[in-house]
Amino acid sequence: MAKTYKQIMDEARRLVPEMSADDVQRRLAKPGATLLDVREKDEYRDGHLDGAISLPRGFLEMRVEETVPDKATPIIAYCAGGTRSLIAARTLKEMGYTDVVSMTGGFTAWKNAGKPFTQDHQFTPEQLSRYSRHFMLPEVGEAGQAKLLAAKVLLLGAGGLGSPTALYLSAAGVGTLGIVDDDTVDLSNLQRQVIHTTGRVGEPKVDSAAETIADINPDVEVVKHQVRLDSSNVVELIEPYDIVVDGLDNFPTRYLLNDASVRLRKPVVSASILGFDGQLSVFKPYEGPCYRCLYPTPPPAELAPSCGANGVLGVLPGTMGLLQATEVVKLILGEGEPLVGRLLLYEALGATFTELKVRRDPQCPICSRDPESITDEEMGVFPDYEAFCAAAG
Ligand SMILES: [Zn+2]
């Protein structure tokens, strides 16, 4: 026999206990309950109870067993006014969930009672479309995308490694990208520095990169630092950023960056390339080794890689730069296993990846110490620095 709406609601009320906003607040003060918001996504985004899982009524049956696998879990369901959650709770009971209640008056009653709630990042319709493939991944979702948009990443160099990294980080919606580069675009760069174009030869690389990024994603703010990284500006440059991406091509600057990033506790995603070989690691101060733990002394200057003097396969920085971009995104999201304490070697001719474990050196001249004790004077200094620089010319 067909049921009326009223009959359905009466049945639901008989089956499902209801709880007032006050009782829900008291219950939530104790651990163990799962809070389910069964409203539509846009209602949830406008404001929801802290810690509530968004599971719109239309997806309830399909997704709840994945979201709450244990059917004995206490569930508090709520909607805007208390009706949809009552019907949802009834369905949950039918599915075998044993401890389900519905909040009377819903979010409206909660909010009107002046109780605390959370308002998520408000995405524009354009952003909802632009980042829709991220929203489909539970590891990113709207919360992760909000983290990406709030993140500040500093790229050291808009060259071979910095180009692909900047392209993909801007496409992914990393909200602030600082770019440090004092160079201008040269025709010989274009074989690998794909953020620049033939028409921009002679322009500053920071301007050329900013122009490309603006075309890709207007959400990204580019901060141009048209300077050379040195001991006088390193601290000031990296301080405002969350993560540093190292695409540097010389050892002295790498030591300088390392020492400053350890002092400021900034993670550095570092890659280097030479010929057909690339290597990659994440230096997260005090959680894994630093660059000096790995390379206590630099190689002789004549062997130190520099892309100007040495050949490099044009696509290789693309591969390594995108691995860097991936590590950056993982660090921002707090997902996955970053390459901390691991050195990844890529050999393009053989198409092989090799991973080496690297450990913190308890005798490391930098990261074995208290960060506050690292002085300006010793940053970037290493044994035989004078000889190294003299040999490098
Ligand atoms: Zn160290």
Side-chain angles (χ1 to χ4, degrees), residues 11-126:
E11 269 182 32
R13 281 203 179 86
R14 275 197 299 276
L15 283 163
V16 178
E18 290 180 280
M19 231 187 211
S20 69
D22 282 336
D23 288 342
V24 168
Q25 192 173 29
R26 270 190 287 276
R27 175 64 188 86
L28 291 174
K30 292 178 281 180
T34 292
L35 196 55
L36 272 192
D37 185 320
V38 301
R39 298 174 301 161
E40 299 303 309
K41 281 281 177 194
D42 56 336
E43 299 178 271
Y44 179 86
R45 243 178 252 126
D46 283 346
H48 57 82
L49 269 66
D50 196 23
I53 297 169
S54 168
L55 188 50
R57 176 66 194 91
F59 295 99
L60 186 71
E61 292 89 336
M62 270 181 279
R63 295 192 185 152
V64 70
E65 285 167 317
E66 199 182 316
T67 313
V68 190
D70 180 1
K71 294 199 169 175
T73 308
I75 294 176
I76 301 165
Y78 74 90
C79 59
T83 305
R84 280 176 287 172
S85 62
L86 195 65
I87 299 171
R90 177 196 170 150
T91 304
L92 292 174
K93 287 248 172 189
E94 285 166 0
M95 291 177 77
Y97 287 90
T98 52
D99 186 356
V100 190
V101 300
S102 169
M103 181 165 83
T104 44
F107 183 68
T108 310
W110 179 275
K111 196 176 165 184
N112 288 345
K115 298 186 186 301
F117 62 95
T118 306
Q119 197 165 31
D120 285 350
H121 183 91
Q122 302 290 301
F123 293 99
T124 63
E126 288 78 17

Side-chain angles (χ1 to χ4, degrees), residues 149 151-153 170 173-179 210 213-214 217-224 241:
L149 285 166
K152 296 179 174 187
V153 175
S170 55
V174 170
T176 304
L177 283 180
I179 302 176
I213 291 168
N217 189 351
D219 285 347
V220 181
E221 188 196 342
V222 176
V223 184
K224 298 188 264 188
Y241 294 91

